[in-house]
């Protein structure tokens, strides 16, 4: 008689029960019984902690160190302000826990480098929550680019904007929002940023920039453009990728992906002779198997822990995105073109 080995569920502890922490708890609750066991949530604000305990029926802790020491989780999820990421993640890694830390990986490049080094020395998974990496439309775009549907990539234009949010107070839009697009651009182009130039403005936020315009030159020759702010009354999350055969349009929110091809035709615009012009060709809308990116991110992390392999977004990838973001801030401060210092090849 063959005996089937029972695999125990992965024990997960959450640090931070605010709006994002609540999203993580909701997604974890919906996993099939036996795959995941949420063993605790740490939250310093009593009312927020009590709400999480009541809704998700899990034990709450005022201190994350106590929670980790008592519950001994397999995975610690860090959903706290950016300035605390290093303190929480490093403690978890030192105590033998795999870590998922929300983006950006840390507040400084030095802290991020230390987390990557620590996770590697411990043989633990360090995943960074660049959740757009797992957006089904992004994954489909990546496949199509690898199939050479577009040909050479000329330009990537990311528009990520919306109204002011008082929720994020410890970083500006570069670290909070643009890091999503930096990760996605590197992922779909399979190329690193060589140089960049940026301008920022601080118009509403008390301490940090709330508008960013940036231009990136990739090693592949493609140009990336960042149009990011928290000043626009409507929420926009879009990416266009223009190349030799046309243009892809991706909507992160609706997970729509379409392609408009170039159509070369003769034009009678000139009085004498004719010139070749590019006009709209056929437009194709691709089928995308839609799904919640955060759920797909967890599927990836659970796989990485179970198989002892790298997650989709490694600590190294998070480090590079953070380093480029800091280069953007430096360019905005000095008004100079920056040659990126991020040399780690982490796709």
């Amino acid at each position: 008689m063959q005996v089937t080995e029972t695999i125990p569920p992965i024990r997960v502890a959450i640090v931070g029960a605010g709006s994002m922490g609540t999203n993580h708890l909701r997604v974890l609750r919906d996993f099939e019984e036996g795959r995941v066991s949420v063993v605790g949530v740490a939250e310093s604000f009593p009312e927020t902690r009590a709400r999480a305990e009541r809704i998700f029926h899990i034990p709450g802790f005022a201190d994350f160190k106590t929670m980790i020491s008592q519950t001994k989780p397999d995975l610690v999820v860090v959903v706290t302000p950016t300035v605390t990421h290093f303190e929480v993640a490093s403690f978890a890694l030192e105590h033998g826990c795999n870590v998922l830390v929300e983006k950006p990986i840390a507040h400084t490049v030095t802290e991020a480098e230390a987390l990557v080094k620590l996770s590697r020395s411990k043989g633990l998974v360090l995943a960074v929550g660049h959740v757009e990496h797992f957006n089904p439309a992004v994954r489909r775009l990546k496949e199509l680019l690898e199939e050479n549907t577009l040909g050479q990539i000329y330009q990537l234009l990311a528009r990520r904007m919306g109204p002011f949010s008082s929720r994020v107070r410890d970083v500006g839009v570069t670290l909070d929002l643009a890091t999503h697009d930096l990760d996605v651009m590197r992922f779909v182009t399979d190329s690193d940023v060589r140089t960049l130039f940026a301008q920022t403005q601080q118009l509403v936020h008390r301490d940090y920039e709330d508008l960013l315009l940036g231009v990136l030159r990739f090693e592949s020759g493609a140009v990336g453009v960042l149009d990011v702010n928290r000043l626009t009354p409507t929420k926009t999350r879009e990416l266009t990728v223009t190349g030799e055969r046309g243009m892809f349009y991706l909507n992160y929110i609706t997970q729509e992906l379409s392609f408009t091809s170039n159509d070369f035709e003769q034009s009678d615009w000139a009085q004498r002779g004719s010139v070749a012009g590019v006009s709209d060709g056929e437009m194709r809308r691709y089928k995308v198997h839609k799904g919640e990116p955060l759920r797909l991110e967890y599927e990836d992390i659970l796989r990485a822990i179970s198989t002892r392999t790298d997650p989709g977004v490694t600590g190294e990838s998070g480090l590079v995105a953070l380093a480029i973001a800091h280069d953007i801030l430096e360019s905005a401060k000095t008004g100079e073109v920056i040659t990126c210092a991020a040399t780690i090849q982490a796709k």
Side-chain angles (χ1 to χ4, degrees), residues 52-294:
E53 291 175 323
R54 183 178 68 255
I55 294 175
F56 298 102
H57 308 290
I58 52 177
F61 297 82
D63 176 64
F64 73 88
K65 295 180 180 179
T66 301
M67 178 186 68
I68 292 172
S69 299
Q70 291 187 5
T71 63
K72 295 179 172 53
D74 302 304
L75 172 66
V76 172
V77 183
V78 184
V79 199
T80 59
T82 301
V83 293
T84 66
H85 283 186
F86 176 76
E87 178 189 8
V88 180
S90 60
F91 182 88
L93 290 167
E94 288 284 8
H95 286 73
C97 306
N98 301 289
V99 168
L100 164 61
V101 57
E102 269 294 349
K103 58 83 206 149
I105 181 175
H107 195 251
T108 69
V109 172
T110 300
E111 290 176 344
E113 289 173 337
L115 289 178
V116 170
K117 183 178 180 180
L118 180 58
S119 67
R120 291 302 183 191
S121 68
K122 296 283 187 178
L124 295 167
V125 170
L126 173 60
V128 186
H130 289 281
V131 71
E132 298 285 28
H133 195 99
F134 301 94
N135 189 305
V138 172
R139 310 297 283 202
R140 186 71 179 108
L141 172 63
K142 172 71 170 175
E143 293 173 357
L144 292 165
L145 292 175
E146 288 180 340
E147 293 169 5
N148 204 32
T149 303
L150 182 62
Q152 183 182 351
I153 297 174
Y154 297 154
Q155 182 197 68
L156 303 96
L157 169 60
R159 301 176 70 240
R160 187 172 295 270
M161 51 192 66
F164 177 74
S165 171
S166 59
R167 178 179 63 85
V168 181
R169 296 180 179 274
D170 62 333
V171 292
V173 295
T174 305
L175 293 186
D176 181 43
L177 297 180
T179 46
H180 279 304
D181 301 300
L182 293 172
D183 175 74
V184 168
M185 286 183 177
R186 292 184 65 249
F187 174 55
V188 300
T189 62
D190 197 33
S191 180
D192 280 303
V193 179
R194 185 174 65 197
T195 60
L196 60 84
F197 177 76
Q199 291 284 293
T200 62
Q201 284 188 289
Q202 181 184 332
L203 300 168
V204 178
H205 202 294
R206 185 179 63 186
D207 301 308
Y208 297 98
E209 83 287 349
D210 41 32
L211 180 149
L212 161 67
L213 291 172
V215 180
L216 317 168
R217 171 72 72 173
F218 287 84
E219 295 285 354
S220 65
V223 174
V225 180
L226 299 171
D227 184 1
V228 182
N229 73 61
R230 284 198 182 277
L231 301 170
T232 305
T234 56
K235 185 175 181 179
T236 301
R237 302 285 188 269
E238 298 174 340
L239 176 69
T240 60
V241 184
T242 303
E244 62 178 312
R245 298 194 182 103
M247 183 188 77
F248 279 107
Y249 168 78
L250 184 151
N251 187 312
Y252 289 101
I253 298 172
T254 61
Q255 298 182 13
E256 294 175 276
L257 179 64
S258 62
F259 178 71
T260 303
S261 63
N262 291 333
D263 183 22
F264 291 88
E265 64 179 12
Q266 295 299 113
S267 171
D268 58 2
W269 173 70
Q271 291 183 352
R272 294 183 180 180
S274 60
V275 297
V278 179
S279 63
D280 288 346
E282 294 183 354
M283 198 268 282
R284 176 177 178 180
R285 183 172 176 177
Y286 285 92
K287 181 176 179 60
V288 175
H289 297 284
K290 299 181 180 180
E292 183 172 4
L294 186 56

Side-chain angles (χ1 to χ4, degrees), residues 272-332:
R272 294 183 180 180
S274 60
V275 297
V278 179
S279 63
D280 288 346
E282 294 183 354
M283 198 268 282
R284 176 177 178 180
R285 183 172 176 177
Y286 285 92
K287 181 176 179 60
V288 175
H289 297 284
K290 299 181 180 180
E292 183 172 4
L294 186 56
R295 165 77 187 220
L296 298 172
E297 181 179 64
Y298 268 110
E299 293 280 4
D300 175 76
I301 294 163
L302 296 179
R303 172 203 56 76
I305 293 173
S306 299
T307 60
R308 298 182 182 276
T309 55
D310 284 339
V313 183
T314 61
E316 287 88 347
S317 289
L319 166 60
V320 173
L322 179 67
I324 297 170
H326 277 287
D327 285 340
I328 286 172
L329 293 174
E330 180 67 17
S331 175

